[in-house]
């Protein structure tokens, strides 16, 4: 409790809107206590390499974090800034998910000092040689209480979204794709491929689905299920009448180009005939393409993984669906036991 209270004096700058000339300029720093009741906080502390890696997953779900009224606060231990982590000013302004940590707090500890105090007890007796600081993260709820924390391993954003950072309001099906965070054609290409995927999925077009999916690359997330004895249902079964999500629509598509060979997209799914806000799903897709001797084939993006979780205000996700080129498998979350692998629920 004392450490949570100490966090109230920590300061951040809230990002400006898309029409400002700077991502944070002109806004005074605010203390976390002033944000209580209006947003949640996910703070991640590390050096440039650690933050760059950890923030990829954050950026993939940036629009969902906004829908969950969550601000992400990167805390740098080596003076690195957003551009060093691969995040542009236009990205920060287009989707207001990233706050700026202010380390010259007017009272109490700075952000770095705060994380040092959080991890100091855990580090006692640690076998680490101490030559490199460890990544650490902390999540704070609307009330300022911690909803989770960890070190060494970055936060699992999709799991946290499904269990804690639920959408605050009912999600609308008229939310347009977000192309503001990038002006290059790559983002548009990924969003078009996502659209093609859903057309094939909802219409039962196996040939169309085969064009979108990678012909050779299995998803490790599916291999994990199979290695644990889980079952996968082939696409031929998944696309049958009564099995496929006919009539399902999507909204709020967003895409992130991580590198020349990796990209991600997300959206909200609205299954047909379930009511306006009773069964919305959060979906994420991973796209890959192979490098060639002359670079990369600019037209070769293919889908490696499609995954969904139920994502509705006030209702925690009870399971997830994972699909790759081979088909789909469903996982159910059991209380106190984590994930239970099993096949699709007919």
């Amino acid at each position: 409790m004392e450490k949570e209270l100490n966090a109230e004096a920590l300061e951040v700058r809230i990002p400006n809107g898309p029409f400002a000339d700077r991502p944070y300029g002109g806004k005074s720093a605010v203390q976390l206590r002033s944000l209580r009741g209006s947003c949640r906080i996910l703070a991640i502390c590390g050096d440039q390499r650690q933050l760059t890696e950890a923030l990829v997953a954050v950026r993939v779900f940036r629009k969902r974090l906004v829908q969950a009224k969550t601000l992400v606060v990167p805390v740098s231990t080596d003076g690195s800034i957003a551009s060093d982590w691969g995040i542009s000013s236009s990205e920060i302004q287009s989707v207001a998910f990233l706050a700026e940590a202010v380390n010259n707090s007017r009272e109490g500890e700075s952000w770095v000092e705060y994380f040092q105090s959080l991890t100091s007890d855990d580090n006692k007796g640690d076998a680490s040689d101490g030559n490199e600081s460890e990544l650490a993260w902390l999540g704070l709820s609307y009330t300022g209480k911690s909803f989770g924390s960890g070190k060494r391993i970055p936060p699992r954003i999709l799991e946290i979204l499904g269990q804690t950072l639920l959408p605050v309001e009912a999600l609308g099906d008229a939310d347009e794709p977000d192309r503001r965070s990038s002006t290059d054609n790559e983002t548009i290409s990924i969003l078009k491929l996502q659209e093609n995927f859903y057309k094939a999925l909802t219409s039962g077009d196996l040939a169309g689905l085969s064009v979108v999916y990678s012909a050779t690359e299995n998803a490790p997330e599916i291999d994990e299920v199979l290695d644990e004895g889980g079952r996968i249902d082939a696409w031929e079964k998944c696309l049958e009448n009564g099995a496929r999500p006919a009539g399902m629509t999507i909204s709020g598509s967003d895409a992130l180009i991580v590198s020349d060979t990796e990209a991600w997209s997300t959206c909200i799914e609205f299954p047909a005939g379930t009511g306006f806000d009773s069964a919305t799903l959060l979906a994420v897709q991973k796209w890959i393409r192979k490098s060639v001797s002359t670079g990369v084939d600019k037209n070769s993006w293919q889908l490696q993984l499609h995954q969904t979780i139920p994502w509705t205000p006030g209702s925690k996700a009870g399971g997830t669906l994972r699909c790759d080129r081979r088909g789909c498998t469903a996982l159910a979350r059991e209380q106190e036991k984590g994930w239970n692998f099993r096949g699709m629920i007919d």
Side-chain angles (χ1 to χ4, degrees):
M1 179 62 72
E2 179 181 353
K3 292 181 178 180
E4 292 170 350
L5 290 174
N6 290 341
E8 291 187 339
L10 295 172
E11 297 182 345
V12 297
R13 289 191 181 91
I14 309 300
N16 288 324
F19 303 110
D21 58 352
R22 291 174 294 174
Y24 301 105
K27 286 197 173 184
S28 301
V30 297
Q31 293 183 327
L32 293 192
R33 66 166 57 96
S34 69
L35 299 176
R36 181 182 291 186
S38 62
C39 71
R40 299 128 159 180
I41 300 294
L42 179 61
I44 307 174
C45 182
D47 59 26
Q48 178 180 343
R49 178 189 62 81
Q50 293 164 337
L51 288 175
T52 299
E53 294 175 357
L55 289 172
V56 168
V58 170
R59 296 166 64 202
V60 168
F61 294 102
R62 58 197 173 190
K63 191 164 184 178
R64 313 311 146 201
L65 290 164
V66 171
Q67 290 172 321
K69 291 194 175 179
T70 301
L71 281 174
V72 177
V73 185
V75 179
S76 171
T77 59
D78 59 3
S80 56
I81 60 176
S83 58
D84 299 319
W85 312 323
I87 305 176
S88 66
S89 296
S90 61
E91 180 178 349
I92 297 170
Q93 290 178 251
S94 65
V95 187
F97 71 104
L98 201 71
E100 182 180 57
V102 178
N103 273 316
N104 56 340
S105 180
R106 291 167 290 179
E107 55 180 279
E109 300 172 306
S110 69
W111 276 99
V112 173
E113 292 169 339
Y114 178 74
F115 268 99
Q116 289 173 343
S117 70
L118 285 180
T119 58
S120 59
D121 292 339
D122 293 335
N123 289 335
K124 291 180 181 178
D126 198 319
S128 172
D129 59 14
N131 291 330
E132 183 180 7
S133 61
E134 295 178 328
L135 177 140
W137 66 272
L138 172 71
L140 298 174
S141 68
Y142 283 126
T143 62
K145 293 182 179 180
S146 172
F147 64 73
S149 63
K151 66 176 186 176
R152 299 189 183 95
I153 299 174
R156 297 181 176 90
I157 303 299
L158 183 60
E159 183 173 334
I160 293 174
L161 284 166
Q163 295 300 306
T164 304
L165 301 181
L166 305 174
V168 176
E169 300 174 350
L171 301 169
D173 58 1
D175 193 5
E176 292 295 323
D178 195 336
R179 296 183 173 90
R180 297 171 300 167
S181 56
S182 177
T183 56
D184 60 47
N185 291 329
E186 297 281 29
T187 298
I188 298 173
S189 296
I190 293 296
L191 293 176
K192 181 61 178 177
L193 285 168
Q194 184 193 60
E195 181 181 333
N196 293 343
F197 165 73
Y198 277 103
K199 285 181 179 178
L201 177 65
T202 57
S203 65
D205 181 1
L206 182 59
L209 207 64
S210 298
V211 170
V212 175
Y213 264 105
S214 169
T216 58
E217 298 295 326
N218 296 334
E221 294 84 351
I222 302 294
D223 290 336
E224 174 191 3
V225 176
L226 298 178
D227 290 344
E228 292 290 335
R231 190 186 86 214
I232 188 169
D233 287 332
W235 278 112
E236 287 82 357
K237 178 179 180 181
C238 298
L239 295 179
E240 290 176 353
N241 289 330
R244 68 176 181 267
M248 183 173 71
T249 60
I250 65 171
S251 77
S253 295
D254 189 24
L256 175 71
I257 310 299
V258 176
S259 68
D260 284 339
T261 57
E262 180 183 343
W264 295 80
S265 57
T266 67
C267 65
I268 302 299
E269 296 180 349
F270 296 81
T274 58
F276 176 69
D277 62 352
S278 62
T280 48
L281 305 170
L282 189 165
V284 57
Q285 297 89 30
K286 181 180 181 180
W287 305 87
I288 59 172
R289 62 183 176 187
K290 293 183 178 180
S291 297
V292 294
S293 58
T294 56
V296 293
D297 180 353
K298 294 298 184 181
N299 298 311
S300 63
W301 285 114
Q302 290 186 306
L303 183 58
Q304 184 183 39
L305 172 71
H306 167 69
Q307 183 171 1
T308 67
I309 61 170
W311 205 52
T312 303
S315 179
K316 294 184 179 182
T320 183
L321 182 72
R322 298 176 183 176
C323 308
D324 71 359
R325 70 185 187 91
R326 295 166 289 184
C328 296
T329 185
L331 293 77
R333 188 176 182 89
E334 295 183 348
Q335 189 71 21
E336 306 296 339
K337 294 183 180 180
W339 293 106
N340 172 43
F341 298 104
R342 62 184 182 183
M344 283 187 67
I345 300 173
D346 295 325

